[in-house]
Amino acid sequence: MQVAVVTFDGFNELDSFIASALINRCRKDGLEAFVTTPTPTVTSMNGVQVTGQRPLGFVAEADAVLIGSGVRTRDVVADDRLLRMLPLDPARQLVGSQCSGALVLARLGLLGTMPACTDTTSRPFVEAAGVTVLDAPFHAEGNIATAGGCLASQYLATWVITRLLGEEAARGVIDYVAPVGEKAETVERALHAVRTGRAALR
């Protein structure tokens, strides 16, 4: 199983790296994430240059696609050519967005009437796109999820791992990376965020 962590120029390092690093703790179980970029290299909002592991076309074959955020997301959603390179299909893929990545899902018409999570800075732009923004870190309906706030990327990763490998696999990953002395509460917080974010469906 493969996950595309879509990473555009101007990306937020916390969004792409936390999600991919957590998911890649599951390589031994057959789940692997790849930083997926529209150009061979992209530069973060803080000037960190990264070589993509997969080209943007990889999203078509991935089992899950996570759209990261960054300072140039509004440029991304204004670029029809770039959007055409994102043939996302929630009928067969898990699709998630981090912070301003919700703008991409909205522009692609994937959110419909679904409310979304995003960061404080991106909120007015997501609302202007006609999306109701929740005051919550994570929300999922079916195969689509959104997360708000940089460190909520752990919840997006937890969701992917839970959906593809089960809750125990997610518990093991979060326990491994959690701060010493705070492991139990960190694991429960992540799992609670995902459970609560999906509870609205029931």
Side-chain angles (χ1 to χ4, degrees), residues 3 5-7 11-27 32-35 50 53 66 68-69 98-99 147-161 173-174 177-178 186 190:
V3 181
V5 180
V6 178
T7 304
F11 72 95
N12 184 318
E13 300 95 331
L14 294 174
D15 296 349
S16 292
F17 295 160
I18 290 176
S20 60
L22 291 179
I23 293 168
N24 279 329
R25 293 280 176 187
C26 299
R27 280 196 188 106
E32 189 168 9
F34 300 91
V35 173
V50 172
Q53 296 173 291
L66 302 182
S69 76
Q98 178 67 43
C99 293
C150 301
L151 294 181
S153 51
Q154 65 181 300
Y155 303 150
L156 206 52
T158 298
W159 175 70
V160 169
I161 297 168
V173 168
I174 300 301
V177 302
T186 302

Side-chain angles (χ1 to χ4, degrees), residues 9-12 43-46 69-75 100:
D9 216 33
F11 72 95
N12 184 318
T43 302
S44 78
M45 60 191 294
N46 293 306
S69 76
V71 295
R72 297 183 183 170
T73 306
R74 282 184 288 162
D75 294 333
S100 65

Side-chain angles (χ1 to χ4, degrees), residues 90 102 105-116 126 129-132 141 144:
L105 298 193
R107 181 70 169 76
L108 291 172
L110 296 179
L111 293 179
T113 59
M114 174 182 167
V126 176
V131 178
T132 299
E141 293 186 14
I144 299 177

Side-chain angles (χ1 to χ4, degrees), residues 9-193:
D9 216 33
F11 72 95
N12 184 318
E13 300 95 331
L14 294 174
D15 296 349
S16 292
F17 295 160
I18 290 176
S20 60
L22 291 179
I23 293 168
N24 279 329
R25 293 280 176 187
C26 299
R27 280 196 188 106
K28 67 182 186 305
D29 297 316
L31 178 61
E32 189 168 9
F34 300 91
V35 173
T36 303
T37 57
T39 53
T41 62
V42 291
T43 302
S44 78
M45 60 191 294
N46 293 306
V48 178
Q49 193 172 75
V50 172
T51 299
Q53 296 173 291
R54 294 289 187 275
L56 204 54
F58 173 65
V59 301
E61 62 186 85
D63 300 286
V65 180
L66 302 182
I67 308 292
S69 76
V71 295
R72 297 183 183 170
T73 306
R74 282 184 288 162
D75 294 333
V76 171
V77 298
D79 188 336
D80 290 336
R81 180 194 62 81
L82 194 53
L83 291 176
R84 284 195 295 271
M85 297 171 70
L86 294 169
L88 306 182
D89 183 4
R92 64 176 185 81
Q93 297 172 308
L94 297 180
V95 177
S97 69
Q98 178 67 43
C99 293
S100 65
L103 280 172
V104 177
L105 298 193
R107 181 70 169 76
L108 291 172
L110 296 179
L111 293 179
T113 59
M114 174 182 167
C117 300
T118 191
D119 62 283
T120 303
T121 301
S122 300
R123 180 170 188 151
F125 303 108
V126 176
E127 289 178 330
V131 178
T132 299
V133 175
L134 300 173
D135 187 21
F138 177 84
H139 180 70
E141 293 186 14
N143 286 345
I144 299 177
T146 59
C150 301
L151 294 181
S153 51
Q154 65 181 300
Y155 303 150
L156 206 52
T158 298
W159 175 70
V160 169
I161 297 168
T162 298
R163 287 292 306 273
L164 296 180
L165 293 177
E167 188 173 287
E168 283 308 303
R171 182 182 294 275
V173 168
I174 300 301
D175 180 80
Y176 187 93
V177 302
V180 172
E182 300 179 0
K183 289 186 176 293
E185 62 196 82
T186 302
V187 169
E188 290 310 314
R189 184 184 302 113
L191 293 176
H192 175 75

